[in-house]
Amino acid sequence: MSKSRPVIFNNNVLRDGHQSLAATRMRTEQMLPVCEDLDNCGFGALETWGGATIDSGLRFLGEFPFDRLDALKKACPKTDHMMLLRGQNIVQYAHFPDDVVEAFIKASVKHGMNIFRIFDALNDPRNMEVAIQATKKAGGKAHGTICYTSSPVHTIDKFIELGTRLEAIGADAIVIKDMAGLIPPYRAKFIVEGLKAKVNIPVWIHTHETAGLGAATYLAAIDAGVDAIDLGVAPFANGTGQPDTTRMLAMMENHPRKPDWSDENVERMKRVRAHLEGVYQELSDFTSHKNEVVDSDALLYQVPGGMLSNFRTQLKEQKMEDKFDDVFREIPVVRKALGWIPLVTPTSQIVGMQAFLNVKFGRWKQISPQAADIALGYYGVTPADVDKEVQGLAAKQAGKDPITCRPVEAPGAEHKHMDDLRKELSNKGLPSDDEHCVIYAMFAPQLEKYYADKNKPSEAPAPKPVAVSTPAPVAASTTSQPATASSPGKVTRLGVSINGKRHEVTVEEVS
């Protein structure tokens, strides 16, 4: 019986931790030093990929996504690797044809991915079924994932009913995904107990500490018999991230379901934290104190941690920080009009953008194409009916009618299938294996830029003296690069953190 077995600890620091607290900017090279310790702690799974990491790595960090998966799998060979998959959206916002979804999953399994957490932003099982079946066919574990939210239409019975439906279409486990940290302890208890009474597969839960409920919710879920929980490692934990592993262990002291955690594991977690403290400083341009603390306003806004982190960064870049509160107060208004949809990628970003447009131009004066698509059924069936007036405005602005079919089968939809993608990549002189085809399907401009940058001739800049006028503690990392024709010596890029700010300098060794 699960109530008598130790609960399984998963760790999400290499994916959700930095997505929620540092705008998904952690590099693979910053992760590798902690992999051996994480791999030897006995976690049930390590979340290492998926979500926004594939987009961010390619777009901002110059990393080909499957290279990261290969590196992390090699560095953490003992523990199951886990990823977040947006069902028919894969890791993008649009719906992709079935053969592209299947090819992505097959390639991911080939590169070492074990567990696929498959969700749909609207909790529409039609958008999860292909991915669940493809995962099982490829030899992976398919976890049917319920996006938790609260609204007049999201009842405990409805969540349990969705769990039983996901089991029926082939899920190997059910995950309650509380992406915004909204689920109160006893509501979690009732949902877990209800699912455990109805399904014959494991039940896991995922939450955030955004509103200060996370660890207490985990304790209630553990008492109710949940099989596994997700944790982070400070400083990429707590706040908009998951509860910290060491903190959760302390909270479970003398609990009958506390995992058997050795002194050696405690030391491992200390080393992991020590390294990640330096990484957090290196990523200080993408962090915010507001993401590190409990914010009860999250119970009103219902916004996921990753969105909070990224949205604050985006508003800062646009010099519009003063509009943050106005935009977030508009989010519940938009959400209700669009059928009480959960807020998880991509709906959280879509609702956030529409809230911004409502504040900037007036309510519903300008509807984004994506918000219009939600109103018209192009993302799936919404939990409640869409406001008829808003749906009419959306149809007028978008120039198309509502649909009720599976979104990927919408009339007139044009999709690039695997053969089309392979041919297009070959014509561009780019690799055309399945890995490149599926990444190109989702992020074509970013993949082309990645190869354009990669194929540029390497030129070492002329050495320049570097002056640091303010004495401060400095954390440095070095990456050696081969000498080029114009540089007879070794070229080293130094990453330096000064007063919490990241600076990069290039130093040439001259003869």
Side-chain angles (χ1 to χ4, degrees):
M1 183 179 178
S2 59
K3 284 190 178 183
S4 62
R5 291 197 303 265
V7 68
I8 296 168
F9 279 8
N10 303 316
N11 202 282
N12 292 39
V13 70
L14 299 183
R15 200 286 297 179
D16 206 349
H18 66 108
Q19 181 169 328
S20 292
L21 284 153
T24 331
R25 292 306 207 279
M26 199 190 297
R27 297 176 152 307
T28 302
E29 66 194 39
Q30 293 170 315
M31 302 176 184
L32 291 175
V34 300
C35 284
E36 183 177 357
D37 280 328
L38 289 174
D39 195 35
N40 284 290
C41 275
F43 289 113
L46 298 174
E47 191 182 48
T48 54
W49 213 51
T53 61
I54 291 174
D55 182 2
S56 182
L58 191 62
R59 187 185 302 269
F60 302 118
L61 308 179
E63 296 187 12
F64 184 67
F66 284 97
D67 290 347
R68 171 177 290 190
L69 180 53
D70 288 342
L72 294 178
K73 186 67 178 182
K74 182 179 179 181
C76 303
K78 299 177 183 178
T79 312
D80 274 355
H81 285 237
M82 180 168 67
M83 74 168 291
L84 192 61
L85 187 78
R86 301 168 192 161
Q88 209 71 33
N89 298 158
I90 312 180
V91 291
Q92 238 272 20
Y93 293 178
H95 291 281
F96 293 92
D98 294 346
D99 66 328
V100 177
V101 175
E102 292 162 353
F104 177 88
I105 291 170
K106 185 177 179 181
S108 301
V109 170
K110 184 178 81 173
H111 285 264
M113 186 50 59
N114 306 106
I115 298 171
F116 294 76
R117 278 198 179 161
I118 298 160
F119 76 95
D120 176 67
L122 303 187
N123 282 329
D124 187 341
R126 301 176 307 165
N127 293 331
M128 295 187 259
E129 187 166 4
V130 168
I132 288 173
Q133 296 301 329
T135 298
K136 294 172 74 70
K137 184 178 179 181
K141 301 170 188 175
H143 287 199
T145 302
I146 300 168
C147 293
Y148 176 82
T149 188
S150 63
S151 81
V153 300
H154 286 92
T155 65
I156 290 171
D157 287 344
K158 285 290 185 183
F159 287 125
I160 295 168
E161 179 186 329
L162 177 56
T164 60
R165 188 170 174 189
L166 292 173
E167 181 185 38
I169 64 177
D172 297 309
I174 302 299
V175 181
I176 304 162
K177 176 179 169 59
D178 177 24
M179 53 280 174
L182 303 173
I183 187 168
Y186 272 83
R187 193 166 172 86
K189 174 181 182 292
F190 295 142
I191 295 173
V192 170
E193 287 179 340
L195 286 169
K196 297 294 287 186
K198 293 282 189 179
V199 302
N200 296 309
I201 53 179
V203 176
W204 292 15
I205 189 169
H206 166 101
T207 191
H208 292 243
E209 202 60 90
T210 314
L213 304 177
T217 290
Y218 277 160
L219 283 175
I222 290 166
D223 288 340
V226 83
D227 294 280
I229 63 174
D230 287 357
L231 300 167
V233 182
F236 294 97
N238 304 319
T240 53
Q242 280 77 58
D244 174 64
T245 301
T246 303
R247 174 176 166 233
M248 198 69 213
L249 280 167
M251 291 188 73
M252 290 192 70
E253 190 65 37
N254 295 327
H255 194 288
R257 298 194 64 203
K258 180 183 178 183
D260 184 14
W261 202 261
S262 67
D263 291 342
E264 189 176 2
N265 281 348
V266 172
E267 291 304 313
R268 288 187 178 108
M269 295 310 296
K270 287 179 181 177
R271 291 195 295 268
V272 171
R273 175 165 185 162
H275 172 77
L276 293 179
E277 291 279 4
V279 174
Y280 197 77
Q281 288 298 314
E282 291 174 1
L283 300 181
S284 61
D285 285 345
F286 308 103
T287 63
S288 167
H289 177 64
K290 291 182 178 180
N291 293 328
E292 300 167 353
V293 297
V294 168
D295 181 3
S296 58
D297 282 349
L299 298 170
L300 171 64
Y301 301 145
Q302 301 205 12
V303 171
M307 180 185 171
L308 277 172
S309 173
N310 283 284
F311 211 65
R312 279 195 175 103
T313 297
Q314 290 162 15
L315 288 175
K316 185 191 299 183
E317 288 171 351
Q318 297 174 38
K319 302 188 186 306
M320 296 182 66
E321 300 99 314
D322 61 321
K323 296 295 183 184
F324 181 89
D325 288 336
D326 291 341
V327 170
F328 274 71
R329 273 192 289 268
E330 185 69 11
I331 284 175
V333 175
V334 174
R335 185 168 168 253
K336 179 181 178 181
L338 294 181
W340 287 115
I341 57 176
L343 293 182
V344 63
T345 302
T347 54
S348 53
Q349 288 81 0
I350 293 169
V351 169
M353 176 54 66
Q354 188 57 50
F356 172 78
L357 293 175
N358 282 6
V359 169
K360 187 173 177 65
F361 298 108
R363 193 168 285 169
W364 307 114
K365 298 297 183 184
Q366 182 175 322
I367 301 177
S368 75
Q370 294 80 14
D373 280 348
I374 288 176
L376 299 173
Y378 288 85
Y379 277 83
V381 177
T382 55
D385 291 338
V386 174
D387 181 277
K388 293 299 181 185
E389 183 179 352
V390 171
Q391 190 177 64
L393 290 170
K396 183 177 180 181
Q397 289 191 31
K400 55 188 179 184
D401 297 323
I403 62 168
T404 56
C405 63
R406 192 167 72 115
V408 75
E409 298 170 346
E414 295 183 3
H415 297 296
K416 291 181 181 179
H417 293 271
M418 289 297 289
D419 287 344
D420 304 317
L421 296 164
R422 207 177 310 282
K423 183 177 179 181
E424 196 167 323
L425 282 168
S426 295
N427 290 339
K428 291 177 180 290
L430 297 174
S432 58
D433 53 27
D434 283 2
E435 289 84 349
H436 285 80
C437 284
V438 295
I439 297 300
Y440 185 74
M442 296 182 284
F443 307 111
Q446 289 76 30
L447 184 65
E448 290 188 52
K449 183 179 184 302
Y450 167 80
Y451 272 99
D453 291 344
K454 186 176 181 179
N455 293 331
K456 284 179 182 176
S458 177
E459 293 184 3
K464 296 179 181 179
V466 179
V468 179
S469 57
T470 305
V474 174
S477 61
T478 64
T479 303
S480 296
Q481 300 173 347
T484 64
S486 60
S487 172
K490 183 175 70 174
V491 176
T492 302
R493 191 178 75 237
L494 295 176
V496 184
S497 292
I498 303 172
N499 289 338
K501 294 297 181 183
R502 172 76 173 180
H503 304 270
E504 289 193 359
V505 296
T506 302
V507 180
E508 179 186 1
E509 181 182 295
V510 295
S511 54

